[in-house]
Amino acid sequence: MRLLTTFLLVSTLLLLASGVAIGCKCSIQAREFNCAVKANSLIFLGKLVQVSQLNDSSTSFSATYRFVPLKTWRGQPADTLTLHTGSSCGIRLVAGSTYVLYTNSGQDLHICQRIVSRNTQAEIEKLDRYFVKPRPLPKRP
């Protein structure tokens, strides 16, 4: 009986642990620049001005973030943007920090997305180069 109880306890713990891990499995390509640009409908540089924490436990984190966009490459420019994060894949961001975010409208932020907080200037330059449309050369007689 004791062996059966131990087996059931260990099996249950392994099952719970694997469920959390499966929920946050990310594709490496999702965070790469070219894939992130092609896959997301909202790309912007924003200052995080408010964090409203909803849930913080050992298995999940959810919050609402309010950003003031400083520059938008894709998506509708706005005075403020409110984004959510949640579940076991939720990402913790710091109020007062500036981020380059790649996401889709109506989608929660999560750890699998490209979110740049360090060396944002290099990311800005890369996005500027990507989104600049070259002008045709004038025709010569």
Side-chain angles (χ1 to χ4, degrees), residues 33-34 37 43-45 71 73 100 102 114 116 118-133:
F33 179 80
N34 286 333
V37 168
I43 304 171
F44 71 98
L45 169 70
K71 185 168 187 171
W73 289 273
V100 177
Y102 298 73
R114 184 175 179 93
V116 179
R118 294 189 181 129
N119 201 7
T120 55
Q121 189 57 42
E123 192 76 6
I124 291 166
E125 291 169 7
K126 199 184 298 189
L127 283 162
D128 284 345
R129 282 192 305 275
Y130 186 91
F131 283 99
V132 168
K133 295 179 180 161

Side-chain angles (χ1 to χ4, degrees), residues 51-102:
V51 177
S52 302
Q53 189 168 320
L54 304 176
N55 177 34
D56 191 1
S57 70
S58 61
T59 57
S60 69
F61 174 80
S62 62
T64 299
Y65 298 124
R66 191 165 60 93
F67 290 91
V68 172
L70 304 173
K71 185 168 187 171
T72 303
W73 289 273
R74 181 175 285 157
Q76 295 297 320
D79 293 334
T80 62
L81 283 170
T82 301
L83 300 172
H84 307 279
T85 189
S87 77
S88 58
C89 299
I91 185 164
R92 289 174 172 86
L93 302 178
V94 179
S97 297
T98 302
Y99 298 91
V100 177
L101 294 112
Y102 298 73

Side-chain angles (χ1 to χ4, degrees), residues 9-52:
L9 179 62
V10 170
S11 297
T12 303
L13 290 174
L14 288 174
L15 184 61
L16 290 173
S18 67
V20 172
I22 290 170
C24 290
K25 189 171 185 178
C26 301
S27 162
I28 294 171
Q29 289 182 338
R31 290 187 182 175
E32 292 178 359
F33 179 80
N34 286 333
C35 289
V37 168
K38 291 175 185 174
N40 291 286
S41 62
L42 179 59
I43 304 171
F44 71 98
L45 169 70
K47 182 168 183 151
L48 180 56
V49 294
Q50 183 180 23
V51 177
S52 302

